[in-house]
Amino acid sequence: MDKGVLATALGSPAPFGQSQFAFMRGNAFEAKVKADGGAELLRLLYERLGGGAPEPAGDAATPDLSAAGPEGRAARTALALREATASGGWALLDHPMLALEVAGSPAYLEPDAVVVHPDGRWTVVEIKSFPMIDASADASKVGAAARQAAVYVLALERVAAVTEGAEVGHQVLLVCPKDFSNLPTASVVDVRKQRAVTRRQLTRLTRIEDIAAELPEGTTFDPACAPDELDAAVAAVPPAYAPECLAACELAFHCRAKSRAEGAVEALGRSVRGELGGLTTVAGVLAAAAGKEGDPADPTVAALRRAAALRAEALESAAARRAGSLGDHAGSGDDGTGGAGGTGSAAGAGGTAGTGSAAGTAGASEGWS
């Protein structure tokens, strides 16, 4: 199912994605890194993760991974990995196809590259177009790349488990532009933590067969269906929306609109949802803060009411200070003559235009308000 097409049919297309300029820049940088049979890429990898193996001297194997369909490409990749491991030399697999079971269904993944070491170790290579300045890159982007690479490591481990002498390295090579140039540089990222988290999340996913078994008879996600029918079909699978979904899911904008319409606190973020305990709607939170609903003995309700009282007190103090400053300002013109505008009365608003300054006239206007 193409969630992007489904979101468009629902009237909530996802207006995100990489710009054409960034896409072209990324492709150009990747081509530069992999030029000449991946000589520069292998040089960077050998400098950081070469170990005691002989340096690749332009004789690294670059097997052809083309095949029909994702299943065929995944099978061809597995065969190439086995052959490269058995040969005992360096090998560079450009855009291999890997398969990983997700919720009982195969998902096909395509890393930028996988390098096979002479000792049988397999290393995932991620090539990104964000810069690495003074050997350091943006932490959030590096974290996202690490999580992405961890999924590739898990997929490779399935193939390595049936390949004699193979081992998947938990250190991946992140290749980025150096400083403000287009020259490649690299850093090693340990993804053991991300791998463990991803593996745990995968084991907790509900299988697709179980989800399908709970759907009403005749449910379809065909984008050609009527919008009302399609909306009901999507609603049959309860979403778990959070603002983080906006960066990853094509249906996030549809789910956000539904969440907002229902007043669900999840729309404010998972951390807020966790703080509010049994209060699940924004209306319920406001009612509890106003003292209209909720158990006063509930710590969450007590905290909300205390926060509401502090807010009301702060607003009242600010209003009093503002009223006082306006009165002082209205009582004295810029020239210090204390024109009629300072009285804040009807007389001050008219009749003495020549005696006061512009500030005095403005003060009279404020006196009316």
Side-chain angles (χ1 to χ4, degrees), residues 6-349:
L6 184 60
T8 301
L10 288 167
S12 302
F16 63 81
Q18 195 175 39
S19 70
Q20 190 66 20
F21 174 76
F23 185 75
M24 293 174 62
R25 182 175 180 272
N27 283 346
F29 178 69
E30 182 176 336
K32 181 182 180 68
V33 172
K34 295 180 179 177
D36 301 325
E40 181 66 11
L41 173 57
L42 290 171
R43 182 189 68 80
L44 290 170
L45 184 137
Y46 183 77
E47 286 180 356
R48 273 88 177 162
L49 294 169
E55 183 177 357
D59 56 349
T62 54
D64 181 12
L65 304 178
S66 59
E71 299 91 343
R73 289 187 59 199
R76 180 69 188 90
T77 296
L79 178 60
L81 286 167
R82 295 189 186 99
E83 292 175 345
T85 303
S87 69
W90 290 96
L92 172 63
L93 279 67
D94 185 6
H95 283 288
M97 182 67 71
L98 307 174
L100 181 67
E101 184 176 305
V102 178
S105 178
Y108 293 98
L109 314 168
E110 189 176 359
D112 293 327
V114 172
V115 175
V116 178
H117 298 241
D119 60 0
R121 185 159 38 104
W122 301 349
T123 298
V124 173
V125 178
E126 273 296 289
I127 302 174
K128 299 298 183 183
S129 59
F130 57 81
M132 193 175 293
I133 302 173
D134 292 334
S136 179
D138 183 274
S140 61
K141 294 180 179 179
V142 173
R147 291 189 293 273
Q148 182 179 353
V151 180
Y152 300 148
V153 168
L154 286 173
L156 277 173
E157 287 177 345
R158 297 184 62 197
V159 183
V162 294
T163 304
E164 185 178 355
E167 178 189 2
V168 182
H170 295 151
Q171 290 183 314
V172 304
L173 188 73
L174 177 63
V175 181
C176 300
K178 182 179 181 180
D179 298 329
F180 300 100
S181 69
N182 201 37
L183 299 175
T185 186
S187 178
V188 175
V189 181
D190 193 314
V191 298
R192 281 178 292 185
K193 178 180 178 180
Q194 290 83 356
R195 170 187 168 277
V197 171
T198 303
R199 179 184 288 277
R200 185 167 61 251
Q201 290 174 338
L202 288 174
T203 59
R204 295 169 59 187
L205 290 177
T206 305
R207 296 178 65 85
I208 294 177
E209 294 87 347
D210 298 334
I211 297 175
E214 296 180 1
L215 295 178
E217 189 70 25
T219 299
T220 177
F221 297 98
D222 185 355
C225 293
D228 292 344
E229 182 181 352
L230 195 59
D231 185 70
V234 173
V237 184
Y241 172 76
E244 294 87 345
C245 298
L246 295 172
C249 181
E250 293 86 347
L251 286 172
F253 289 86
H254 173 77
C255 295
R256 182 179 68 174
K258 293 291 185 182
S259 182
R260 287 178 172 177
E262 296 169 0
V265 295
E266 285 83 357
L268 303 176
R270 290 191 176 98
S271 60
V272 176
R273 176 67 187 89
E275 293 284 346
L276 292 175
L279 300 173
T280 59
T281 65
V282 174
V285 171
L286 295 176
K292 298 177 182 178
E293 294 181 9
D295 182 4
D298 186 337
T300 301
V301 174
L304 286 170
R305 293 180 180 177
R306 174 61 177 162
L310 291 173
R311 179 179 181 274
E313 182 180 338
L315 291 175
E316 184 178 349
S317 298
R321 287 195 300 270
R322 182 173 180 272
S325 64
L326 288 176
D328 293 342
H329 181 64
S332 59
D334 285 349
D335 52 9
T337 59
T343 64
S345 63

